[in-house]
Amino acid sequence: MEITRGSVVIAKAGRDKGKAFAVIEVQSDREVLIADGKRRPIEHPKRKNVIHLQMTRTTVDCITTNRQLRHFLQNCRVGACSHRDAEGVENRIQEA
């Protein structure tokens, strides 16, 4: 799977380890900008190396505000998202 704008990813390293984020922008084949709508708002995304991210099958279609992004990612954590990767990813999302 390829990381694209709107992909939901899980941080595998750093202080954000285990948390879900949405990809805001793909800067290169190695770096993306991610946000979660709370600690990392859409206006100030975090630059992250793609080797430190785990892909999920979930995508964000048209989220324009931090509030919408927070609610979407929160629903993914509690199990409302229907498209997810393997069970291990699902457990990591719920622990975050």
Side-chain angles (χ1 to χ4, degrees), residues 23-70:
V23 175
I24 303 302
E25 180 183 336
V26 178
Q27 291 192 321
S28 69
D29 59 338
R30 292 184 50 128
E31 290 185 342
V32 295
L33 296 177
I34 58 173
D36 65 357
K38 186 174 184 179
R39 190 159 187 267
R40 292 289 179 177
I42 295 171
E43 298 83 23
H44 300 286
K46 178 177 180 69
R47 186 178 63 204
K48 196 84 165 168
N49 192 325
V50 295
I51 64 171
H52 298 149
L53 298 173
Q54 181 170 1
M55 286 289 301
T56 65
R57 295 180 191 212
T58 307
T59 59
V60 178
D61 293 326
C62 60
I63 301 249
T64 56
T65 65
N66 289 315
R67 183 177 186 173
Q68 289 174 332
L69 182 58
R70 277 193 313 268

